[in-house]
Amino acid sequence: MTQDLPPPRPGQPRAVLIGAGITSALTGCLLAGDGFQVVVVEAREKGAGSSSRSAAAIRQQFGTPGTVRGMIHSVRFYERFREHMRCAPGSPAVLVQNGYLFLYDRPELHEDPAAHAARWDRARERVQMQRASGLDAVAALAPAEVGARFPWIDAPRLAGATWCPTDGFLRPDLVYGEGFRRLEELGGRIVQWAPVTGAVHRGGRLAAVETARGTIAGDLFVNATNAWAPRVSRLLGGADLPVSPVKRYLYFLQRAGSLTGEQLASFPMTITARGAYCRPENADQLMAGWAHRAAAEPGFRHEDQDEVEAEYSHRAGLDNHAVRTWMELAESMPALGEFAGVSATAAGYYADTPDHNPLLGYDPRVPNLIHACGFSGHGAMQGPFTAEVVRQLAAAGPALPAVRLGPEGDVAVDLAPFRLDRSFGAPEEMVI
Ligand SMILES: Cc1cc2nc3c(=O)[nH]c(=O)nc-3n(C[C@H](O)[C@H](O)[C@H](O)COP(=O)(O)OP(=O)(O)OC[C@H]3O[C@@H](n4cnc5c(N)ncnc54)[C@H](O)[C@@H]3O)c2cc1C
């Protein structure tokens, strides 16, 4: 295999990125632009992991200033994606900015009113923090404002909502599809059906990865396998990564009744007070989800990603999570109760960390290995931020304290909350 790859130019370093999803596609382009010869090594085919199974919502409404700034960077990148990736004229946008709406119910509607009241208080405080972090477009809306903008929402049941019109959702297949196309234009190579099975170390560093299609040497290695990352880290002699693969399901609700196709297509990504969410897939279907308690599955197989257990399947009568998700959404949006039903169920794995922030940093044991994983259900939106962090880590080394973002590089985001050796505090609250 090694001989099938063109040798790097004299003096040119080679970066080997493991896993061919959104993270590698975007990171690969930046590293290639910085002079690396980039080789992506993938166990199956491009998009074989979560990147092709994602709700791909994107928001800047996060719970810490660093993540808000990182996500402002991501939204700006995706707004200009076609320019960055030199897409063909007329190619579709990857970012649909329908906005992102978090609903907060009147506390007395719930069994735990104090918790709901506190959540709404914290949401309003977060809006202040988000605005102070540069997110000017975010706002807290009163129920009447929600009703006026989104007439399908049962506004009288609300205490209020938070709203950001520049958020929305992505077309993830286009993100990695166009990303890998651009990477190949920049001289990068993508080696598919080549699972990494082992490593060659020399002088305390990683010299090469062994794959089912041969050994691939490199100077820098990036573990971009997200839910598989702990296993791949072990294969490479790296650290134990606190990343838990957890199954999540997506449901497709078929439009019927009073809601028009035009209204449905204009839906923002909407989150109910108890965390169920939906966004338009097209004018006739809403994509929906609702996180449930689930045990980690550290040994999951690729095939398990598409396995839909009866308890979560729309095919299993009325007593299942699919119908419960639909009904939960209809509580806040009564017109959804007129829908024809749930027409499909899909699944995939989140890669959860204890605080729901990703792991972005050098391995403490293998000095030329960077991990970019543990996205906890946010890796599509965090892709451009992640790519920028890896690029700057590659240039500066492990001591880099902060990543610099913005057109002038004048926005600094502290990397401490993403380091592998951080002590995990309270989880990011803004997780669905
Ligand atoms: C149901 C669901 C809903 C989601 N919703 C959202 C959302 O709304 N917004 C958002 O931003 N994110 C969301 N996510 C998360 C997001 O999809 C992921 O975080 C993101 O796609 C991760 O991309 P990645 O490139 O890091 O990893 P992946 O796309 O998972 O790619 C990892 C790759 O590594 C490969 N691999 C594994 N082992 C090896 C090996 N030994 N050798 C070589 N290759 C290997 C795999 O085959 C895979 O292709 C969701 C995920 C799911 C499952």
Side-chain angles (χ1 to χ4, degrees):
M1 168 52 54
T2 320
Q3 55 271 36
D4 290 354
L5 293 169
R9 291 192 306 272
Q12 184 186 27
R14 180 187 277 171
V16 178
L17 277 51
I18 308 166
I22 287 173
T23 301
S24 268
L26 301 183
T27 304
C29 287
L30 292 191
L31 292 178
D34 280 359
F36 281 90
Q37 189 202 46
V38 174
V39 180
V40 175
V41 192
E42 164 57 46
R44 300 273 170 114
E45 65 284 307
K46 293 173 233 174
S50 304
S51 295
S52 60
R53 296 170 170 81
S54 182
I58 177 164
R59 64 186 152 94
Q60 302 147 98
Q61 297 181 67
F62 265 88
T64 62
T67 320
V68 173
R69 292 190 186 109
M71 292 309 306
I72 291 172
H73 173 81
S74 279
V75 166
R76 287 189 181 150
F77 176 89
Y78 280 130
E79 281 173 340
R80 298 180 54 194
F81 180 87
R82 287 176 288 187
E83 230 173 287
H84 290 303
M85 296 298 168
R86 313 269 167 90
C87 295
S91 59
V94 298
L95 173 62
V96 183
Q97 286 174 303
N98 278 11
Y100 210 112
L101 185 69
F102 283 93
L103 304 177
Y104 293 88
D105 286 346
R106 285 191 284 115
E108 65 272 21
L109 294 177
H110 293 275
E111 279 172 13
D112 46 354
H116 279 267
R119 246 176 250 152
W120 175 228
D121 286 344
R122 283 199 299 278
R124 281 176 293 176
E125 283 165 20
R126 261 197 308 270
V127 166
Q128 299 310 317
M129 177 279 288
Q130 290 160 351
R131 292 180 66 84
S133 305
L135 185 59
D136 301 332
V138 70
L141 300 184
E145 291 173 277
V146 177
R149 285 172 199 240
F150 313 107
W152 52 85
I153 290 176
D154 181 9
R157 72 175 276 132
L158 298 178
T162 69
W163 162 242
C164 182
T166 52
D167 291 344
F169 52 91
L170 299 159
R171 300 290 182 208
D173 51 331
L174 289 178
V175 174
Y176 63 79
E178 293 289 332
F180 285 128
R181 178 199 48 73
R182 180 67 189 144
L183 176 58
E184 287 181 318
E185 282 172 7
L186 291 167
R189 293 298 174 103
I190 298 136
V191 185
Q192 302 184 78
W193 297 97
V196 168
T197 53
V200 179
H201 294 265
R202 209 168 289 130
R205 295 168 68 82
L206 189 54
V209 289
E210 290 165 349
T211 82
R213 294 182 61 196
T215 301
I216 299 177
D219 301 286
L220 174 74
F221 294 80
V222 180
N223 178 5
T225 57
N226 204 29
W228 289 266
R231 281 181 261 180
V232 170
S233 182
R234 275 196 296 277
L235 286 172
L236 303 180
D240 289 333
L241 300 181
V243 173
S244 304
V246 175
K247 194 94 174 254
R248 291 285 176 250
Y249 301 85
L250 294 176
Y251 305 112
F252 294 83
L253 312 185
Q254 202 62 35
R255 183 176 67 82
S258 54
L259 206 69
T260 66
E262 205 181 334
Q263 280 177 317
L264 191 143
S266 75
F267 262 45
M269 174 81 172
T270 306
I271 324 293
T272 71
R274 299 201 304 166
Y277 64 85
C278 66
R279 57 102 159 152
E281 178 66 356
N282 52 51
D284 287 314
Q285 280 187 324
L286 269 182
M287 179 195 274
W290 195 11
H292 60 284
R293 273 186 204 286
E297 297 178 51
F300 81 95
R301 302 163 309 151
H302 275 84
E303 294 70 26
D304 296 332
Q305 294 180 98
D306 298 320
E307 188 71 27
V308 178
E309 295 74 9
E311 200 188 331
Y312 299 96
S313 172
H314 70 290
R315 295 183 191 281
L318 291 177
D319 185 17
N320 58 63
H321 193 63
V323 174
R324 280 194 290 279
T325 303
W326 174 23
M327 291 302 119
E328 170 68 13
L329 291 164
E331 288 270 321
S332 298
M333 293 166 270
L336 269 53
E338 302 166 24
F339 273 27
V342 185
S343 58
T345 306
Y349 285 89
Y350 276 19
D352 283 350
T353 63
D355 61 6
H356 296 146
N357 277 320
L359 304 177
L360 306 175
Y362 278 90
D363 190 280
R365 297 180 195 158
V366 183
N368 56 337
L369 170 62
I370 294 176
H371 299 284
C373 60
F375 293 109
S376 308
H378 303 125
M381 60 177 103
Q382 287 177 333
F385 172 66
T386 301
E388 196 54 56
V389 172
V390 175
R391 165 205 234 168
Q392 293 187 30
L393 282 170
L400 183 73
V403 67
R404 307 212 64 99
L405 304 173
E408 315 295 334
D410 52 348
V411 177
V413 175
D414 181 9
L415 288 177
F418 306 104
R419 288 175 62 99
L420 273 68
D421 59 359
R422 66 185 182 262
S423 52
F424 294 100
E428 159 73 49
E429 199 176 352
M430 304 296 288
V431 164
I432 54 164

